[in-house]
Amino acid sequence: MSASVISYAWEIGKQMAEDVIARYVKEEGRYPESVGIILWATSNLRNHGQCVAEFLYLLGLRPVWQKGSLRVIDIEVIPLSELKRPRVDVTGRISGLFRDSMPASVTWMDKAVDMVASLEESLEENYIRKHVLQEAQELTEQGGCCLAAGFVPHLW
C-alpha cells in the first residue's frame, strides 16, 4: 500500500470528522459533546480505515506511522492549539467482523479513549474527560465501583 493511499485515507477521515462537527455547529450553534460512529469491517478494509481516522480525529488524535512499512505504531495527541476545537466524545459501535478482522484497530481505539480521558485539560475542551468524570461520580454516589466499570483509575 502506498503512502499516498494511507495519507489520503487519513485526510478523508479528518474531513469526515470536520464535516460532522461543522454540520452540528450550524444546526445547534455549539460543538457536539458526543457522537456515535458505526464501524463496519468491509467498508474500513475497502477505504483503508477512513472511519477509524474519523474516530481518532474527533477525539483529537492522529496516528504515528512507521517509516517504510507505514504500519501504525502509535497514536499521538493533537494539541488543542492546533486542533482549534474541543475533543469530542465518540462512541464506536463495531461489528463482530470488525472486531475479529481488525483487532489492532480496536486496540488503538481503546487506547485513544484512555489517552484523551487522561489529559489534564478543561472539561469545556475535553468532553471525553468531562463525561468519564461525570459517570465516575454518578457511580460513586450510587455505591458502585468505578474501577470495575472500566474507568481510568488515574483520573481520581
Side-chain angles (χ1 to χ4, degrees), residues 52 55-56 71-75 94 97-112:
V52 175
F55 181 94
L56 291 175
R71 185 175 62 91
V72 174
I73 57 171
D74 205 356
I75 49 178
I94 64 172
L97 185 57
F98 184 100
R99 177 200 63 222
D100 295 343
S101 62
M102 297 189 289
S105 293
V106 175
T107 300
W108 287 123
M109 292 165 55
D110 185 55
K111 178 180 178 180

Side-chain angles (χ1 to χ4, degrees), residues 61 77 87 114-121 126 129 155:
L61 299 171
V77 173
R87 300 183 193 284
D114 284 347
M115 280 177 67
V116 175
S118 301
L119 294 172
E120 293 290 332
E121 296 173 335
N126 186 333
R129 182 176 177 78
L155 291 177

Side-chain angles (χ1 to χ4, degrees), residues 55-62 75-78 80 83 86-90 109-122 125-130 132 152 154-155:
F55 181 94
L56 291 175
Y57 193 70
L58 284 165
L59 292 170
L61 299 171
R62 66 178 146 234
I75 49 178
E76 66 183 7
V77 173
I78 300 171
L80 287 168
L83 196 59
R87 300 183 193 284
V88 178
D89 191 351
V90 185
M109 292 165 55
D110 185 55
K111 178 180 178 180
V113 173
D114 284 347
M115 280 177 67
V116 175
S118 301
L119 294 172
E120 293 290 332
E121 296 173 335
S122 77
E125 295 176 313
N126 186 333
Y127 296 134
I128 302 91
R129 182 176 177 78
K130 175 182 178 181
V132 166
V152 183
H154 56 278
L155 291 177

Side-chain angles (χ1 to χ4, degrees), residues 23 29 33 37 41 52 65 67 69 73 108 125 141 148 156:
R23 181 174 178 177
E33 286 199 20
I37 297 177
V52 175
W65 292 282
K67 289 183 180 16
S69 73
I73 57 171
W108 287 123
E125 295 176 313
E141 290 170 1
W156 299 102

